[in-house]
Amino acid sequence: MIPLIFLASLLALPADTFAAPTNVVPVSGQSISLLRRNPSPRDATQRGALAKRQRDNLIAKYGGATTQKRSTGYNSIVNQDYDSSYYGSLAIGTPAVSFDVILDTGSSDLWVASSSCGTSCGSVATYNPSSSSTFQNLSTPFDINYGSGSAEGYVAQDTVQMAGFSVSSQGFAVVDVVSTGLLTSPVSGLLGLAWEPLAASGQMPLWQTLASSGSWDSALFAVQLTRYTNDSKAETLEPGGVLNMGYTNSSLYTGSIDYIDIPGTDTYWYLPLTSITVQGTNITIASGTTVAIDTGTTNIGGPASSIAAIYAQIPGSQPATGEWEGYYTFPCSTTVNVEVSFGGATWSISSADIAFDTLSSTECLGAFFETTTGTGTPSWIFGDAFLKNVYSVFRYNPPSIGFASLSSVAIAENGAGGTVPSATIGTVSAAVTNTSDAPRGHALSASLSALLFLAFSTTLLL
């Protein structure tokens, strides 16, 4: 979950480029820095509620144009609440107004809080349609439900800018009813980065508009996320990495990018899951098992039997109870070695990411947790606990996901601190007109990442 602004130093990219459009053009593409927000210390009850919300959100989420110029760009990411969520920024309207939004490869809708949202949106920045000369109300209802709440509004079109790109008549949702606590400042909404069939709004996602229009040098985007969960001095908000748009940043990875094609219909970003090894022991994975790759989910969810088999390899682990139900605990003194494969290379997950939380001086909460998903959806969801360990590339054609080993430059950004990117408006270097049809029916329910990520991340932000 779900149901996504960092500083240039970590990516060796210009430091004056943040979340919204910019005129800085990297060697082969544009990108968006990511920002991470870290939570203030929480007691056991708060942490338990957070864990439960993440699990509920994941179940809700997965259960049941003309091109003027080809270019590239990037958006700095913010790391929020000790690797709990990652957000970037974009700008909407004429004149443009910037907003921070969760970056979610597990969902496909862009939505932002409206100026008519009222007290439920708290102090977050809101979008005022009457202030934009390019706003168009499509008069189509929008409703999305998460494990921890819901958002309602209507579908509209306006000019949307991000990482130096401008898309006119981009479809998105204007939300004027939000469950209490669903949004926490400074985040004003969510940017879905999955495929159009998942969009509850029926609108083509922003990234897909750009990729299909030929605006990017390469029809792909890439993500690098930072780690602060094991940094005792981390702040609530830290530099979170970067979102590269239209190119891959070779300074952030080493070796080649290992691409695996999506094994079916373009909906979620998902792959075959062929192996999981824990402490040197292979975990049985059923043939045909698939896994969603979801920046909007903090941890890793899977079938109960598989999760039990994983923890059976970790001495001293046991099922958690109460708010922690579905999770497991294990001794913090244990170094847990996990490797996974999607049919190509094998990737390791840091022991620091296996420990989602510390419940006491000796007891840790594991990042792997039990979840159930609906028919036809991936049975596993790999979130940020995995993605912090690789440079991830999401390719438009052929539809595929690639991973590469992080470079020393990228690794050095973990726990490094620095200035947290803020939502800014830069210069547009490439403009596109969205020519996709106005609202079309969606074949699938609202994406898991949006649900999971928003619900969970907003919980973390409380």
Side-chain angles (χ1 to χ4, degrees), residues 291-304:
V291 54
I293 307 300
D294 187 354
T295 57
T297 294
T298 304
N299 290 316
I300 299 172

Side-chain angles (χ1 to χ4, degrees), residues 50-65:
L50 176 61
K52 182 178 185 299
R53 211 165 293 175
Q54 176 185 201
R55 185 167 178 264
D56 290 346
N57 290 339
L58 191 64
I59 292 172
K61 183 178 183 180
Y62 288 91

Side-chain angles (χ1 to χ4, degrees), residues 21-365:
T22 174
N23 59 351
V24 177
V25 179
V27 176
S28 58
Q30 291 182 337
S31 51
I32 299 170
S33 298
L34 304 179
L35 180 68
R36 172 205 170 196
R37 184 173 178 182
N38 291 322
S40 56
R42 298 185 294 267
D43 61 23
T45 299
Q46 291 175 310
R47 296 198 303 271
L50 176 61
K52 182 178 185 299
R53 211 165 293 175
Q54 176 185 201
R55 185 167 178 264
D56 290 346
N57 290 339
L58 191 64
I59 292 172
K61 183 178 183 180
Y62 288 91
T66 299
T67 303
Q68 294 185 0
K69 179 180 179 181
R70 288 169 58 90
S71 190
T72 60
Y74 73 95
N75 189 276
S76 295
I77 297 173
V78 176
N79 184 324
Q80 186 174 44
D81 292 322
Y82 310 104
D83 306 351
S84 293
S85 65
Y86 296 81
Y87 66 83
S89 71
L90 46 70
I92 303 176
T94 306
V97 177
S98 60
F99 301 96
D100 289 317
V101 290
I102 295 298
L103 302 175
D104 184 14
T105 59
S107 67
S108 302
D109 289 290
L110 165 60
W111 64 263
V112 292
S114 164
S115 55
S116 61
C117 184
T119 58
S120 63
C121 287
S123 60
V124 305
T126 57
Y127 169 74
N128 186 350
S130 64
S131 297
S132 175
S133 62
T134 47
F135 165 79
Q136 181 181 1
N137 188 342
L138 299 182
S139 301
T140 301
F142 175 80
D143 185 357
I144 192 164
N145 294 299
Y146 304 98
S148 60
S150 62
E152 301 176 14
Y154 57 91
V155 180
Q157 290 181 339
D158 207 335
T159 298
V160 178
Q161 301 178 42
M162 190 175 197
F165 295 99
S166 177
V167 179
S168 59
S169 300
Q170 174 62 45
F172 68 106
V174 181
V175 168
D176 45 28
V177 178
V178 178
S179 295
T180 302
L182 191 59
L183 292 176
T184 300
S185 182
V187 174
S188 297
L190 180 143
L191 175 64
L193 293 167
W195 297 83
E196 183 178 4
L198 286 184
S201 63
Q203 299 295 299
M204 180 177 287
L206 177 66
W207 79 270
Q208 200 169 343
T209 300
L210 291 167
S212 62
S213 69
S215 300
W216 289 345
D217 282 3
S218 298
L220 53 79
F221 64 91
V223 176
Q224 173 248 340
L225 302 177
T226 60
R227 177 187 302 112
Y228 282 82
T229 187
N230 59 342
D231 181 359
S232 61
K233 297 182 180 180
E235 301 293 335
T236 299
L237 298 178
E238 293 283 2
V242 72
L243 169 63
N244 302 126
M245 302 183 78
Y247 77 113
T248 57
N249 186 336
S250 59
S251 72
L252 297 177
Y253 67 91
T254 61
S256 60
I257 299 172
D258 182 38
Y259 285 101
I260 303 294
D261 289 346
I262 290 175
T265 304
D266 306 334
T267 52
Y268 297 103
W269 289 105
Y270 68 106
L271 296 172
L273 179 59
T274 57
S275 72
I276 299 178
T277 301
V278 181
Q279 308 299 63
T281 298
N282 288 322
I283 305 302
T284 300
I285 301 294
S287 176
T289 295
T290 58
V291 54
I293 307 300
D294 187 354
T295 57
T297 294
T298 304
N299 290 316
I300 299 172
S305 59
S306 297
I307 299 301
I310 287 173
Y311 286 104
Q313 305 306 317
I314 306 174
S317 64
Q318 58 184 355
T321 59
E323 292 290 324
W324 308 110
E325 182 180 0
Y327 289 79
Y328 282 70
T329 62
F330 67 93
C332 295
S333 58
T334 301
T335 298
V336 182
N337 299 306
V338 177
E339 294 184 333
V340 300
S341 178
F342 311 102
T346 297
W347 307 102
S348 297
I349 302 177
S350 170
S351 185
D353 297 317
I354 301 301
F356 165 49
D357 204 347
T358 302
L359 303 185
S360 70
S361 59
T362 60
E363 186 179 34
C364 281
L365 188 71

